[in-house]
Amino acid sequence: MTGAPAGGSRRGTAVRGGARSRRTGGAAPALLLVPALVGLAFLLVPLLGLVLRAPWGELPARLASPEVLGALRLSLVCATAATALSLLLGVPLAWLLARSTFPGKRLVRALVTVPLVLPPVVGGVALLLVFGRRGLVGEHLHEWFGVSLPFTTGAVVLAETFVAMPFLVVSVEGALRAADVRLDEAAATLGASRWVTFRRVTLPLVAPGVAAGAVLAWTRALGEFGATITFAGNFPGRTQTMPLAVYLAMESNPEAAIVLSLVLLLVSVAVLALLRERWMGGASR
Amino acid sequence: MTLSADIRVTRAGDFTLSAAVSAPPGTVLALLGPNGAGKSTVLRVLAGLLPLDAGRVVLDGTVHDDPSSGVLTPPERRPVGVVFQDYLLFPHLTALDNVAFGPRCRGLSRGRSRQVAQEWLDRVGLGDLAGRRPRRLSGGQAQRVALARALATEPRLLLLDEPLAALDAGTRMRVRSELRRHLDDFGGVAVLVTHDPLDAMVLADQVVVLEEGRVVQRGAPREIANRPASRYVADLVGVNLVPGRGLGGDRVAVDGGALTLPDAPVGEVLVALPPAALRLRATPPPEEERAWPVRVVGLESQVDRVLVSVEGPPDLRVSLPTGAIADLGVRVDARFWVEPRAEEAVVYPRPVVDGPTSPLG
């Protein structure tokens, strides 16, 4: 075959290939397309409704109201504290699960993820039973230190941590498993103790995973409802976070509920955008 | 630094490594062997990354691993530096901070360790790339950073795991000669794992050949090349190896005939026949028993010569000038007689090293 016809046929193939890929791209069977569009609408229409029904005119005034601001501030503070606590306890736990061997490790890993699937209200009941004034731990806390956790801001943080930490542990453990253990060995041969290795090699390597896990945990903590209302109650200014305020407002003042929901929606979208950036950054590296 | 190690490790899948290695100060010891022979396991044991099951590791009179007395020094407290196979540079640190990592861990201040690191980068010729991350270094540059990082802690035992394997042929040649220079400057013991005989010949003072977890030969590189103790080593150095039995009176019985070799020892022997020490003949030689009837099974061009693979017994490789191929009409399936030049053959007792393995098995 000579050069020119070969080039011509190659060009022909490319055109045909392009046409074929256009056809496969467009032709989704109705059996898949219709449920897909219904599903999409189902996910988007409620959010759209929220945006359309929002009392945009009085939005600034309502946002500035002390109840909304108080709930928002409490939500942000508690979610951030819960994330900090999750980092403090969850990163070492993830390290233990990913990098060490001990009997019953598989069971421990399974137990760590239980709060992921447990109804949060059950978590709240369990926390109350343990940290309540008559509880396993709470009794001693009260007796020895005069501390009573339930129905305090501290209880909100604990409830949110209980629900959010597994997200962080799972994310960080995954990152640790993906990181090359041999880099830890290289650090050891250079004279680094296990702690120095963790701090200067392992942790920087899994930093993207830690960040993603922290954002997930923070979002989960911000939206936490069931465990909080069970363990911490619903006291404005002390334990009433945004989701609780939304729930309460729905009964007396639906307009306020919409405004609060809108704020939570905006925060969620912002977090999603942040995470996307993070993930895209990770993928390009 | 004197290294003395008796290494016994059992790995899952009933692989047992049993090897003794020792070296006086200033020695470069090459561990040569096929994949899975246990070479890297030896390095891991010496570095402290893998504990012994039995035996002991002694560096300069200090016991670092001895299961019988419960002594085990962790890697971070051994005077050992390691250049890993794919270098394992820390991807989040610059070249400078990679090299400074060791000195910093060994107690130097941040500023001082960076100063030391810069000196080492200068010594390996990478002073101007100090600020680069590993992902922006070429293979040869990464190898030199890894070497600088290992040497910056001033180890007394330097371990190099296939330090040249990841490099392309051109880079490898250059990096090999640079490595030779750095090893010459290094006062301690260097142990180098490789499966490339050229690395061993150029870099090592002593070679230990490992096969299936056992030492099959040890000696100077020249000794290994001239008197290979196993088919593996013979193939590596490109020599034909024929087992035989010395019958006395310079007579050696081999598979498919007999040879007359001056000074042949009596008993089990190996005969090393360089491919250039063999001739192909179209007709049987007058003294028939000094040649083997063979069939040609392959031809391979090598610069100005052609390597002819023939099937015997014994199977051999014969190196002929390219012109001789045409003159003799050498082609696949053609039949010839192979005649060895006795004066270029090396005959020696079959070595017995470390246990009951049969190296020719």
Side-chain angles (χ1 to χ4, degrees), chain A residues 5 40 44 60 74 78 99 123 126 138-139 149 157 159 168 174 180 184 205-206 209 223 233 241 245 247 269:
Chain A
L40 190 65
L44 292 184
L74 188 69
C78 288
R99 288 290 160 87
E139 192 182 22
L149 273 175
V157 174
L168 182 99
D180 197 341
D184 292 16
L205 286 175
V206 299
T241 55
Y247 180 73
V269 170

PDB file of all heavy atoms in Angstrom, chain A residues 5 40 44 60 74 78 99 123 126 138-139 149 157 159 168 174 180 184 205-206 209 223 233 241 245 247 269:
ATOM      1  N   PRO A   5      -2.935   6.645  -0.251  1.00  0.00           N
ATOM      2  CA  PRO A   5      -4.208   5.998   0.064  1.00  0.00           C
ATOM      3  C   PRO A   5      -4.311   5.616   1.545  1.00  0.00           C
ATOM      4  O   PRO A   5      -5.382   5.707   2.136  1.00  0.00           O
ATOM      5  CB  PRO A   5      -4.206   4.739  -0.805  1.00  0.00           C
ATOM      6  CG  PRO A   5      -3.183   4.978  -1.862  1.00  0.00           C
ATOM      7  CD  PRO A   5      -2.178   5.898  -1.262  1.00  0.00           C
ATOM      8  N   LEU A  40     -32.928  12.605  38.666  1.00  0.00           N
ATOM      9  CA  LEU A  40     -32.261  13.900  38.718  1.00  0.00           C
ATOM     10  C   LEU A  40     -33.218  14.975  39.223  1.00  0.00           C
ATOM     11  O   LEU A  40     -32.877  15.773  40.105  1.00  0.00           O
ATOM     12  CB  LEU A  40     -31.748  14.255  37.320  1.00  0.00           C
ATOM     13  CG  LEU A  40     -30.812  15.454  37.216  1.00  0.00           C
ATOM     14  CD1 LEU A  40     -29.517  15.167  37.939  1.00  0.00           C
ATOM     15  CD2 LEU A  40     -30.541  15.806  35.766  1.00  0.00           C
ATOM     16  N   LEU A  44     -33.062  17.439  42.522  1.00  0.00           N
ATOM     17  CA  LEU A  44     -32.852  18.880  42.353  1.00  0.00           C
ATOM     18  C   LEU A  44     -34.076  19.733  42.686  1.00  0.00           C
ATOM     19  O   LEU A  44     -33.942  20.837  43.197  1.00  0.00           O
ATOM     20  CB  LEU A  44     -32.384  19.177  40.917  1.00  0.00           C
ATOM     21  CG  LEU A  44     -30.986  18.663  40.593  1.00  0.00           C
ATOM     22  CD1 LEU A  44     -30.563  19.080  39.191  1.00  0.00           C
ATOM     23  CD2 LEU A  44     -29.973  19.182  41.621  1.00  0.00           C
ATOM     24  N   PRO A  60     -32.000  39.506  54.582  1.00  0.00           N
ATOM     25  CA  PRO A  60     -30.962  40.118  55.422  1.00  0.00           C
ATOM     26  C   PRO A  60     -31.427  40.320  56.862  1.00  0.00           C
ATOM     27  O   PRO A  60     -30.693  39.997  57.810  1.00  0.00           O
ATOM     28  CB  PRO A  60     -30.697  41.463  54.745  1.00  0.00           C
ATOM     29  CG  PRO A  60     -31.155  41.280  53.331  1.00  0.00           C
ATOM     30  CD  PRO A  60     -32.318  40.329  53.401  1.00  0.00           C
ATOM     31  N   LEU A  74     -23.227  28.755  67.003  1.00  0.00           N
ATOM     32  CA  LEU A  74     -23.085  27.530  67.788  1.00  0.00           C
ATOM     33  C   LEU A  74     -22.772  26.341  66.880  1.00  0.00           C
ATOM     34  O   LEU A  74     -21.906  25.504  67.177  1.00  0.00           O
ATOM     35  CB  LEU A  74     -24.384  27.264  68.568  1.00  0.00           C
ATOM     36  CG  LEU A  74     -24.301  26.123  69.576  1.00  0.00           C
ATOM     37  CD1 LEU A  74     -23.398  26.506  70.743  1.00  0.00           C
ATOM     38  CD2 LEU A  74     -25.682  25.735  70.078  1.00  0.00           C
ATOM     39  N   CYS A  78     -19.390  24.260  67.249  1.00  0.00           N
ATOM     40  CA  CYS A  78     -19.464  22.854  67.661  1.00  0.00           C
ATOM     41  C   CYS A  78     -18.921  21.930  66.563  1.00  0.00           C
ATOM     42  O   CYS A  78     -18.193  20.982  66.846  1.00  0.00           O
ATOM     43  CB  CYS A  78     -20.900  22.465  67.998  1.00  0.00           C
ATOM     44  SG  CYS A  78     -21.458  23.191  69.535  1.00  0.00           S
ATOM     45  N   ARG A  99      -1.522   0.655  60.059  1.00  0.00           N
ATOM     46  CA  ARG A  99      -0.090   0.383  60.092  1.00  0.00           C
ATOM     47  C   ARG A  99       0.366  -0.589  61.175  1.00  0.00           C
ATOM     48  O   ARG A  99       1.536  -0.895  61.248  1.00  0.00           O
ATOM     49  CB  ARG A  99       0.681   1.695  60.281  1.00  0.00           C
ATOM     50  CG  ARG A  99       0.678   2.584  59.069  1.00  0.00           C
ATOM     51  CD  ARG A  99       1.515   1.998  57.960  1.00  0.00           C
ATOM     52  NE  ARG A  99       1.171   2.543  56.675  1.00  0.00           N
ATOM     53  CZ  ARG A  99       1.700   3.648  56.171  1.00  0.00           C
ATOM     54  NH1 ARG A  99       2.573   4.314  56.842  1.00  0.00           N
ATOM     55  NH2 ARG A  99       1.329   4.064  54.984  1.00  0.00           N
ATOM     56  N   GLY A 123     -27.311   6.542  68.629  1.00  0.00           N
ATOM     57  CA  GLY A 123     -26.052   7.023  69.165  1.00  0.00           C
ATOM     58  C   GLY A 123     -26.295   7.974  70.329  1.00  0.00           C
ATOM     59  O   GLY A 123     -25.611   7.916  71.357  1.00  0.00           O
ATOM     60  N   ALA A 126     -27.281   6.044  73.367  1.00  0.00           N
ATOM     61  CA  ALA A 126     -26.116   5.348  73.913  1.00  0.00           C
ATOM     62  C   ALA A 126     -25.215   6.318  74.666  1.00  0.00           C
ATOM     63  O   ALA A 126     -24.734   6.021  75.764  1.00  0.00           O
ATOM     64  CB  ALA A 126     -25.349   4.668  72.779  1.00  0.00           C
ATOM     65  N   GLY A 138     -20.369   8.823  83.168  1.00  0.00           N
ATOM     66  CA  GLY A 138     -20.953  10.064  83.680  1.00  0.00           C
ATOM     67  C   GLY A 138     -21.045  10.104  85.190  1.00  0.00           C
ATOM     68  O   GLY A 138     -20.813  11.147  85.808  1.00  0.00           O
ATOM     69  N   GLU A 139     -21.344   8.971  85.778  1.00  0.00           N
ATOM     70  CA  GLU A 139     -21.459   8.884  87.232  1.00  0.00           C
ATOM     71  C   GLU A 139     -20.184   9.350  87.908  1.00  0.00           C
ATOM     72  O   GLU A 139     -20.192  10.159  88.825  1.00  0.00           O
ATOM     73  CB  GLU A 139     -21.750   7.419  87.587  1.00  0.00           C
ATOM     74  CG  GLU A 139     -22.173   7.214  89.020  1.00  0.00           C
ATOM     75  CD  GLU A 139     -22.389   5.735  89.313  1.00  0.00           C
ATOM     76  OE1 GLU A 139     -21.816   4.888  88.571  1.00  0.00           O
ATOM     77  OE2 GLU A 139     -23.105   5.426  90.252  1.00  0.00           O
ATOM     78  N   LEU A 149     -22.313  16.219  81.721  1.00  0.00           N
ATOM     79  CA  LEU A 149     -22.213  16.531  80.304  1.00  0.00           C
ATOM     80  C   LEU A 149     -23.544  16.745  79.591  1.00  0.00           C
ATOM     81  O   LEU A 149     -23.670  17.668  78.781  1.00  0.00           O
ATOM     82  CB  LEU A 149     -21.419  15.426  79.589  1.00  0.00           C
ATOM     83  CG  LEU A 149     -19.906  15.602  79.568  1.00  0.00           C
ATOM     84  CD1 LEU A 149     -19.249  14.395  78.956  1.00  0.00           C
ATOM     85  CD2 LEU A 149     -19.531  16.856  78.793  1.00  0.00           C
ATOM     86  N   VAL A 157     -20.838  18.735  71.134  1.00  0.00           N
ATOM     87  CA  VAL A 157     -19.556  18.389  70.498  1.00  0.00           C
ATOM     88  C   VAL A 157     -19.344  16.878  70.533  1.00  0.00           C
ATOM     89  O   VAL A 157     -18.948  16.259  69.536  1.00  0.00           O
ATOM     90  CB  VAL A 157     -18.393  19.125  71.191  1.00  0.00           C
ATOM     91  CG1 VAL A 157     -17.055  18.663  70.633  1.00  0.00           C
ATOM     92  CG2 VAL A 157     -18.556  20.627  71.035  1.00  0.00           C
ATOM     93  N   ALA A 159     -21.646  14.480  70.770  1.00  0.00           N
ATOM     94  CA  ALA A 159     -22.594  13.814  69.877  1.00  0.00           C
ATOM     95  C   ALA A 159     -22.137  13.932  68.431  1.00  0.00           C
ATOM     96  O   ALA A 159     -22.154  12.957  67.674  1.00  0.00           O
ATOM     97  CB  ALA A 159     -23.985  14.426  70.051  1.00  0.00           C
ATOM     98  N   LEU A 168     -13.908  10.451  59.188  1.00  0.00           N
ATOM     99  CA  LEU A 168     -12.504  10.844  59.159  1.00  0.00           C
ATOM    100  C   LEU A 168     -11.593   9.627  59.218  1.00  0.00           C
ATOM    101  O   LEU A 168     -10.632   9.508  58.458  1.00  0.00           O
ATOM    102  CB  LEU A 168     -12.207  11.772  60.344  1.00  0.00           C
ATOM    103  CG  LEU A 168     -10.776  12.257  60.352  1.00  0.00           C
ATOM    104  CD1 LEU A 168     -10.697  13.645  59.771  1.00  0.00           C
ATOM    105  CD2 LEU A 168     -10.180  12.226  61.723  1.00  0.00           C
ATOM    106  N   GLY A 174      -7.810   4.968  54.581  1.00  0.00           N
ATOM    107  CA  GLY A 174      -7.651   4.711  53.145  1.00  0.00           C
ATOM    108  C   GLY A 174      -6.402   5.386  52.606  1.00  0.00           C
ATOM    109  O   GLY A 174      -5.623   4.785  51.864  1.00  0.00           O
ATOM    110  N   ASP A 180       2.958   4.714  50.529  1.00  0.00           N
ATOM    111  CA  ASP A 180       3.987   3.677  50.464  1.00  0.00           C
ATOM    112  C   ASP A 180       4.636   3.469  51.832  1.00  0.00           C
ATOM    113  O   ASP A 180       5.309   4.362  52.341  1.00  0.00           O
ATOM    114  CB  ASP A 180       5.042   4.093  49.436  1.00  0.00           C
ATOM    115  CG  ASP A 180       5.904   2.929  49.005  1.00  0.00           C
ATOM    116  OD1 ASP A 180       5.935   1.917  49.735  1.00  0.00           O
ATOM    117  OD2 ASP A 180       6.522   3.027  47.941  1.00  0.00           O
ATOM    118  N   ASP A 184       8.294   4.884  55.027  1.00  0.00           N
ATOM    119  CA  ASP A 184       8.494   4.833  56.477  1.00  0.00           C
ATOM    120  C   ASP A 184       9.779   4.086  56.798  1.00  0.00           C
ATOM    121  O   ASP A 184      10.542   4.477  57.685  1.00  0.00           O
ATOM    122  CB  ASP A 184       7.313   4.131  57.164  1.00  0.00           C
ATOM    123  CG  ASP A 184       6.028   4.940  57.085  1.00  0.00           C
ATOM    124  OD1 ASP A 184       5.971   5.869  56.269  1.00  0.00           O
ATOM    125  OD2 ASP A 184       5.084   4.631  57.833  1.00  0.00           O
ATOM    126  N   LEU A 205       2.381  12.946  53.816  1.00  0.00           N
ATOM    127  CA  LEU A 205       1.988  12.186  52.633  1.00  0.00           C
ATOM    128  C   LEU A 205       0.474  11.969  52.583  1.00  0.00           C
ATOM    129  O   LEU A 205      -0.103  11.906  51.503  1.00  0.00           O
ATOM    130  CB  LEU A 205       2.701  10.829  52.603  1.00  0.00           C
ATOM    131  CG  LEU A 205       4.175  10.883  52.232  1.00  0.00           C
ATOM    132  CD1 LEU A 205       4.804   9.511  52.356  1.00  0.00           C
ATOM    133  CD2 LEU A 205       4.339  11.406  50.817  1.00  0.00           C
ATOM    134  N   VAL A 206      -0.156  11.808  53.755  1.00  0.00           N
ATOM    135  CA  VAL A 206      -1.594  11.552  53.749  1.00  0.00           C
ATOM    136  C   VAL A 206      -2.392  12.832  54.007  1.00  0.00           C
ATOM    137  O   VAL A 206      -3.608  12.766  54.201  1.00  0.00           O
ATOM    138  CB  VAL A 206      -1.996  10.464  54.773  1.00  0.00           C
ATOM    139  CG1 VAL A 206      -1.320   9.152  54.433  1.00  0.00           C
ATOM    140  CG2 VAL A 206      -1.703  10.889  56.190  1.00  0.00           C
ATOM    141  N   GLY A 209      -5.688  13.269  52.271  1.00  0.00           N
ATOM    142  CA  GLY A 209      -6.710  12.376  52.822  1.00  0.00           C
ATOM    143  C   GLY A 209      -7.234  12.890  54.155  1.00  0.00           C
ATOM    144  O   GLY A 209      -8.437  12.823  54.439  1.00  0.00           O
ATOM    145  N   GLY A 223     -24.497  19.016  60.108  1.00  0.00           N
ATOM    146  CA  GLY A 223     -25.870  18.595  59.842  1.00  0.00           C
ATOM    147  C   GLY A 223     -26.433  17.661  60.891  1.00  0.00           C
ATOM    148  O   GLY A 223     -27.596  17.251  60.788  1.00  0.00           O
ATOM    149  N   GLY A 233     -30.133  17.823  73.939  1.00  0.00           N
ATOM    150  CA  GLY A 233     -31.363  18.588  74.061  1.00  0.00           C
ATOM    151  C   GLY A 233     -31.412  19.738  73.075  1.00  0.00           C
ATOM    152  O   GLY A 233     -30.609  19.810  72.144  1.00  0.00           O
ATOM    153  N   THR A 241     -28.382  23.830  67.678  1.00  0.00           N
ATOM    154  CA  THR A 241     -27.617  24.072  66.453  1.00  0.00           C
ATOM    155  C   THR A 241     -28.591  24.339  65.314  1.00  0.00           C
ATOM    156  O   THR A 241     -29.807  24.251  65.476  1.00  0.00           O
ATOM    157  CB  THR A 241     -26.726  22.868  66.125  1.00  0.00           C
ATOM    158  OG1 THR A 241     -27.558  21.713  66.067  1.00  0.00           O
ATOM    159  CG2 THR A 241     -25.663  22.665  67.178  1.00  0.00           C
ATOM    160  N   ALA A 245     -32.656  24.150  65.126  1.00  0.00           N
ATOM    161  CA  ALA A 245     -33.409  25.389  64.969  1.00  0.00           C
ATOM    162  C   ALA A 245     -34.364  25.292  63.784  1.00  0.00           C
ATOM    163  O   ALA A 245     -35.509  25.766  63.854  1.00  0.00           O
ATOM    164  CB  ALA A 245     -32.448  26.566  64.781  1.00  0.00           C
ATOM    165  N   TYR A 247     -35.747  22.589  62.617  1.00  0.00           N
ATOM    166  CA  TYR A 247     -36.837  21.698  63.004  1.00  0.00           C
ATOM    167  C   TYR A 247     -37.854  22.434  63.880  1.00  0.00           C
ATOM    168  O   TYR A 247     -39.051  22.343  63.671  1.00  0.00           O
ATOM    169  CB  TYR A 247     -36.255  20.495  63.746  1.00  0.00           C
ATOM    170  CG  TYR A 247     -37.302  19.511  64.197  1.00  0.00           C
ATOM    171  CD1 TYR A 247     -37.946  18.686  63.273  1.00  0.00           C
ATOM    172  CD2 TYR A 247     -37.664  19.415  65.536  1.00  0.00           C
ATOM    173  CE1 TYR A 247     -38.907  17.785  63.670  1.00  0.00           C
ATOM    174  CE2 TYR A 247     -38.624  18.515  65.941  1.00  0.00           C
ATOM    175  CZ  TYR A 247     -39.245  17.704  65.019  1.00  0.00           C
ATOM    176  OH  TYR A 247     -40.206  16.821  65.422  1.00  0.00           O
ATOM    177  N   VAL A 269     -22.977  23.585  49.756  1.00  0.00           N
ATOM    178  CA  VAL A 269     -22.472  23.792  48.395  1.00  0.00           C
ATOM    179  C   VAL A 269     -21.037  24.313  48.441  1.00  0.00           C
ATOM    180  O   VAL A 269     -20.176  23.878  47.676  1.00  0.00           O
ATOM    181  CB  VAL A 269     -23.393  24.764  47.620  1.00  0.00           C
ATOM    182  CG1 VAL A 269     -22.741  25.180  46.307  1.00  0.00           C
ATOM    183  CG2 VAL A 269     -24.730  24.101  47.351  1.00  0.00           C
TER     184      VAL A 269
END
